[in-house]
Structure formats: structure tokens, C-alpha cells
Amino acid sequence: MGERRMYSMVQRLNTLSTITVTNVAAFTCVLALSTFYFHLNVDMEPHVDVKINAVHKFGRLGVNRYYGNEEAHVTLDLDADLRPLLHWNVKQLFVFVSASYTTKLHKTSEVVLWDFIISSKEQAQFYFQGVTNKYPLVDKGKNLRNANITLKFHWNTMPHSGLLFFHSKAGSSPMTFPSKYIQGNPDPVPSY
Amino acid sequence: FFRSNMSAILKNLTAPMDFEGQRKAEMLIHIIISTCGVVGIVFGWFQQEYSKCIYTIFAGMFLCSLLVVPNWPYYKGTQMKWVDDALVDKYWDALAEKEDGKEGKEEKEEEKKKRKK
């Protein structure tokens, strides 16, 4: 067996790495507490506007098209400047657009149409026109015709360490859906 | 000439430290890494990037590993007096005799009980 000592160079290295990791944890707590400074002192209102550009396909799902649920494919106009939301404790911003409307059966329905992950300042500013939705607007029932639809923009702040925040902002122009079905072409290519 | 010198130097640097040296080394680790952390936090705040803070702490750890881990002459100061081997052997022999004496008494007591039964 090799010689064994109670205290050696390797143990010194172990002590060093333990102290380093403990300090990193302590300073990460400081980072987490510093988020409250941003929420209290700095203005964190983003400039956001979303609306529907056009409905380009509208019909019913399923094999027997009389009994299926209604589905619509829309294109969106997105105008967003989310740079005030980014600070040093933000790892990602998860951002999504949802359509909300009222029907006879259900009081409010909200369907997510488009989402995006923002990690840096370059991605935080965008102006898309005519982006097709990632997920179609599918209703539970057949109540989309003549429905009054408002788009809402939600953002989910994911920190490096600390609390998660979730806010939303309504779009400016609600839209009434057409009363007749539209046959429509296959989905156009998204522009992001 | 150089090789023999190098091996002697390496043996010197990898030898264990005494207690005073260990205390100095650990104080140095604490001081360097805490200041690196504070400097890193301030540095990261003005650039709004927490990764800079982590990088300064790791740079401090690398610096520390150069300064603290090998057994530099700075950490050797107090003369450690180890006890002679002959004294230690005498001590252990005396202890063994005491225990043998005790065990011998216990065996005699057990034998007496068995004879009584």
C-alpha cells in the first residue's frame, strides 16, 4: 500500500475548491436579492403591440367535417421592444401570444398561437408582419364564426437564481372573425 | 546536476505543511476569494453580466492554487518537534503490560467462578 498522510496537497486543493464554491453560492444569493432593486426602482414596461393581420384558413377538423371542432390559421403582426425587461439576473424570457374570446358555451377561452424564447438583447427587439402562427386556433366546439378575438402578449421571466415572474399585456385592436369558412392555401413560411 | 536539483525541489514543495503554515494558507484562500467575489460582483453589475463575476472568482481560485497548494518556504516557520521513536515504543510497551495484567486478572476470576460451579 502507498504511504497515506492525514494532511496533503490534495486536501489543500479540496479545501480551496470548497471555499470557492461556497463563495459562488453566497454571491448568487446576492444576485437573487438584487432582482428586487430592478422591480422597485427601474421602469420595466416593455413596448408591445400584437394584432391579427389576416385569417387565411378557417374550417373544421376531422374526417367528417360536420362533427369536428373549428380551427383557424391566422397571420400575426408583432411589434415588440422587450429590452427594459432584460437585466443581469435574466436567463431567458419566454414570450407567447394568445388569442382570447368569449363563446356561448365557455365564458373565456384562451388559445396560444405563437411563442418564442429570448436570451439576449439582439433578440429582444422585433417587428414581424404576416408571421403565421405556430399553433392553430382550435376551438372546443363550433363557435369561432363572428367571435370577437383579442390578442394578448405574455412574458415569463426566468432568472439565473431567484423568483420567476409572469406578466401579460393586451393587444390594441380586437378583431371579429369572419362568418363564413375560408378554404385557404397551405401555411405561408414564417418570417422569423 | 539540474535533474537532481529539480527532484530535490519538487520533494521540498510536495512535503506536508506544519500547523502554522496551514493556518496562513487558509486565511489567504478566504481573503483572496472573498475579494475576488466582491470585485467580480461590482464588475458584473456595471456590465450587467453575472458571468463576469463567476469568471473573476475562478481566476482567483486559479491564482490561489498556485500560491497555496505547493509547500512554499513561506509556510515553513515553526519548528515542529516530534517525539523520539524510542520513547513511543516504551510508552506502547507499558500500556500493553497494563492491559495484559488486567486481562490476566479477569481470566483468573473466570477460572475461580468455573471451579466454584
Side-chain angles (χ1 to χ4, degrees), chain A residues 171-185:
Chain A
S172 57
S173 38
M175 181 196 175
T176 317
F177 253 45
S179 47
K180 282 188 184 171
Y181 287 147
I182 302 173
Q183 192 58 36
N185 295 324

Side-chain angles (χ1 to χ4, degrees), chain A residues 1-188:
Chain A
M1 290 281 280
E3 178 194 316
R4 283 187 184 182
R5 297 199 195 125
M6 254 172 61
Y7 185 79
S8 64
M9 269 172 55
V10 178
Q11 192 189 336
R12 223 170 295 147
L13 201 60
N14 185 16
T15 314
L16 171 65
S17 52
T18 310
I19 291 177
T20 303
V21 171
T22 312
N23 275 34
V24 165
F27 287 113
T28 310
C29 287
V30 169
L31 172 78
L33 291 175
S34 76
T35 318
F36 294 110
Y37 167 78
F38 289 103
H39 285 274
L40 294 173
N41 287 357
V42 178
D43 180 28
M44 291 181 76
E45 268 300 309
H47 159 69
V48 148
D49 189 25
V50 287
K51 51 180 183 275
I52 295 182
N53 198 359
V55 181
H56 68 89
K57 189 170 162 192
F58 191 15
R60 285 189 186 174
L61 295 169
V63 176
N64 184 342
R65 303 252 165 183
Y66 184 71
Y67 290 113
N69 286 334
E70 280 188 351
E71 175 204 47
H73 291 245
V74 298
T75 53
L76 307 166
D77 273 349
L78 304 165
D79 175 20
D81 181 12
L82 299 167
R83 285 175 305 176
L85 293 172
L86 295 172
H87 52 85
W88 69 340
N89 198 12
V90 168
K91 182 181 172 190
Q92 276 174 0
L93 275 182
F94 182 74
V95 144
F96 62 96
V97 169
S98 76
S100 84
Y101 55 98
T102 308
T103 58
K104 283 178 273 183
L105 281 178
H106 311 282
K107 200 168 175 195
T108 33
S109 303
E110 263 196 55
V111 182
V112 174
L113 296 179
W114 184 88
D115 55 36
F116 193 53
I117 292 181
I118 294 175
S119 323
S120 60
K121 281 204 168 178
E122 292 83 29
Q123 293 171 324
Q125 220 186 355
F126 48 83
Y127 183 66
F128 296 139
Q129 279 201 313
V131 186
T132 190
N133 52 357
K134 269 189 185 179
Y135 318 105
L137 179 59
V138 178
D139 184 31
K140 283 194 166 181
K142 307 169 189 38
N143 297 312
L144 273 186
R145 284 167 290 180
N146 293 323
N148 195 10
I149 294 193
T150 321
L151 288 187
K152 283 192 199 168
F153 189 83
H154 309 256
W155 60 89
N156 218 333
T157 309
M158 297 173 188
H160 283 291
S161 77
L163 300 174
L164 279 82
F165 295 97
F166 181 56
H167 295 296
S168 62
K169 192 172 179 182
S172 57
S173 38
M175 181 196 175
T176 317
F177 253 45
S179 47
K180 282 188 184 171
Y181 287 147
I182 302 173
Q183 192 58 36
N185 295 324
D187 301 319

